[in-house]
Amino acid sequence: MEVVEQKPSSGYGKPPWVFRGSALYQLHLVKAEKAQACIPKEFKLVQAFGYTLGGFFLASYEDSPAGVFDELVVIAGLVWNRPTSCAWATKVYVNSDEACNHGRKEVGLPSEKARFSKTIEAISRQPRGIMSEFSDMIGINDMFFNPKDHMNVQVTKVKCLDQADSCNISLTSAVAVPALSWMGPAIKMSLPSFSGGTMYNPNLLKYSCQIECRVQAVQPMKVSSAMPLTNGDKDQSLEDHRANSLVVGDDQNDRQNLINYVMLSKPILALKFNQMRMQVEAPIVLSQCSKSSETSVSSVPLSNIERFV
């Protein structure tokens, strides 16, 4: 297997590329049969009981090689690269031309330009729910909140600018703002990912994101999508749409329906990355992949090895 480094785009300069800001990483249970449809046959899907882990990564960058911009990465599932697993992004939406072009050509991402609109509304009382009632039972609400605390309700709407892409997604989060704010412990983590196989970069790639941040477990975002449905319904919630989200059609429609299915599937965990510093390494080109699903795809930097036979 021949391993080749990608050449950096002129606007981004030489890798690694550093991004600073905040993000929300939300994991969803995605049916394996649906996720497999957009994952290259060279990769084996990580699954259990018919499901894989997908979801999305919603980031707001305050400083980056492309300046200030927003990004929504839709993750179809996890694929094996033994001894670990890597995420596979089925679509990336950004509101920066430079970030879109760089993602397409250099990182092999299925990037599209989109419009991000954000609204924030403060409400005076914390809504009641199962988690809040449980917190009352064990007494931790009184430790961190008082009656003067409020909720910030943020709605982020993402609409693709490409007419062929019908993405129109709304993400709503309600985050408590306590009197004593704590952004979580400082951690370091690595998020390896596969990419490529697109019209802009047909090679299969692997790249790594090294993240330093303060992490919090938060309530999952509520996702809704305006879908081009035949029954004329408007925005649909997860419960209304989950069973009908993947329908038979051409490749473009199938991919768009899969994106909506992933976004509307059942959330199991949401993590907020505060004070985030993300370093993205240069992608590695995997010019030949193993045909055996039991053999990992090699991904060794060029400085360590030049050629596999």
Side-chain angles (χ1 to χ4, degrees), residues 57-204:
F57 183 83
L58 178 65
S60 180
Y61 301 114
E62 301 167 357
D63 181 42
S64 78
V68 177
F69 74 97
D70 299 294
E71 178 181 51
L72 173 64
V73 181
V74 183
I75 302 169
L78 299 179
V79 295
W80 278 117
N81 183 43
R82 298 183 188 278
T84 184
S85 58
C86 297
W88 181 267
T90 188
K91 183 64 74 174
V92 177
Y93 296 107
V94 294
N95 54 0
S96 163
D97 287 320
E98 188 174 7
C100 183
N101 292 333
H102 177 265
R104 286 174 172 176
K105 297 176 181 179
E106 311 300 343
V107 192
L109 294 172
S111 299
E112 297 288 348
K113 272 293 294 300
R115 180 182 297 110
F116 287 67
S117 61
K118 302 177 184 179
T119 59
I120 299 178
E121 179 183 357
I123 59 178
S124 59
R125 294 188 62 185
Q126 184 178 348
R128 308 301 295 173
I130 295 176
M131 291 303 296
S132 181
E133 292 174 2
F134 177 74
S135 299
D136 283 339
M137 290 174 59
I138 62 177
I140 63 172
N141 265 352
D142 293 335
M143 293 172 57
F144 296 101
F145 302 101
N146 61 53
K148 295 182 179 180
D149 291 341
H150 65 275
M151 301 285 293
N152 277 347
V153 177
Q154 177 170 313
V155 178
T156 301
K157 294 186 177 181
V158 183
K159 182 174 177 58
C160 188
L161 301 183
D162 185 349
Q163 293 183 353
D165 189 325
S166 58
C167 170
N168 191 352
I169 297 171
S170 177
L171 305 104
T172 303
S173 63
V175 181
V177 182
L180 181 60
S181 180
W182 185 59
M183 291 188 292
I187 67 165
K188 294 182 180 181
M189 62 186 300
S190 177
L191 295 178
S193 300
F194 284 125
S195 62
T198 69
M199 61 180 294
Y200 297 99
N201 197 327
N203 295 315
L204 292 180

Side-chain angles (χ1 to χ4, degrees), residues 5-304:
E5 279 193 350
Q6 292 288 87
K7 295 181 180 179
S9 64
S10 56
Y12 269 63
K14 294 182 179 181
W17 304 293
V18 177
F19 302 77
R20 292 181 172 85
S22 61
L24 182 122
Y25 190 21
Q26 186 158 308
L27 296 175
H28 290 191
L29 284 177
V30 178
K31 286 187 176 180
E33 61 179 333
K34 305 287 180 70
Q36 190 67 63
C38 71
I39 292 176
K41 63 182 183 300
E42 291 85 354
F43 298 136
K44 182 179 180 180
L45 189 70
V46 178
Q47 58 178 297
F49 305 105
Y51 288 88
T52 186
L53 279 179
F56 62 88
F57 183 83
L58 178 65
S60 180
Y61 301 114
E62 301 167 357
D63 181 42
S64 78
V68 177
F69 74 97
D70 299 294
E71 178 181 51
L72 173 64
V73 181
V74 183
I75 302 169
L78 299 179
V79 295
W80 278 117
N81 183 43
R82 298 183 188 278
T84 184
S85 58
C86 297
W88 181 267
T90 188
K91 183 64 74 174
V92 177
Y93 296 107
V94 294
N95 54 0
S96 163
D97 287 320
E98 188 174 7
C100 183
N101 292 333
H102 177 265
R104 286 174 172 176
K105 297 176 181 179
E106 311 300 343
V107 192
L109 294 172
S111 299
E112 297 288 348
K113 272 293 294 300
R115 180 182 297 110
F116 287 67
S117 61
K118 302 177 184 179
T119 59
I120 299 178
E121 179 183 357
I123 59 178
S124 59
R125 294 188 62 185
Q126 184 178 348
R128 308 301 295 173
I130 295 176
M131 291 303 296
S132 181
E133 292 174 2
F134 177 74
S135 299
D136 283 339
M137 290 174 59
I138 62 177
I140 63 172
N141 265 352
D142 293 335
M143 293 172 57
F144 296 101
F145 302 101
N146 61 53
K148 295 182 179 180
D149 291 341
H150 65 275
M151 301 285 293
N152 277 347
V153 177
Q154 177 170 313
V155 178
T156 301
K157 294 186 177 181
V158 183
K159 182 174 177 58
C160 188
L161 301 183
D162 185 349
Q163 293 183 353
D165 189 325
S166 58
C167 170
N168 191 352
I169 297 171
S170 177
L171 305 104
T172 303
S173 63
V175 181
V177 182
L180 181 60
S181 180
W182 185 59
M183 291 188 292
I187 67 165
K188 294 182 180 181
M189 62 186 300
S190 177
L191 295 178
S193 300
F194 284 125
S195 62
T198 69
M199 61 180 294
Y200 297 99
N201 197 327
N203 295 315
L204 292 180
L205 314 175
K206 182 184 178 182
Y207 65 98
S208 178
C209 299
Q210 306 296 328
I211 294 179
E212 299 178 16
C213 66
R214 303 189 75 92
V215 64
Q216 285 178 301
V218 297
Q219 290 289 334
M221 276 189 159
K222 180 181 178 181
V223 182
S224 59
S225 176
M227 296 291 296
L229 299 176
T230 56
N231 62 8
D233 287 344
K234 296 183 179 180
D235 289 5
Q236 294 200 359
S237 65
L238 168 64
E239 292 77 9
D240 297 328
H241 184 73
R242 188 188 302 164
N244 301 317
S245 58
L246 191 61
V247 296
V248 178
D250 58 30
D251 290 343
Q252 177 65 30
N253 287 336
D254 285 347
R255 181 171 293 274
Q256 184 59 48
N257 286 326
L258 175 62
I259 293 168
N260 288 314
Y261 173 80
V262 172
M263 294 297 296
L264 295 169
S265 55
K266 184 176 180 61
I268 59 173
L269 177 66
L271 298 174
K272 179 70 181 297
F273 296 165
N274 300 299
Q275 299 178 356
M276 180 182 70
R277 180 186 186 274
M278 181 173 71
Q279 179 172 300
V280 180
E281 304 294 337
I284 297 166
V285 178
L286 307 172
S287 57
Q288 183 179 355
C289 298
S290 171
K291 295 182 180 179
S292 171
S293 62
E294 297 300 322
T295 304
S296 66
V297 178
S298 299
S299 53
V300 182
L302 187 62
S303 59
N304 292 345

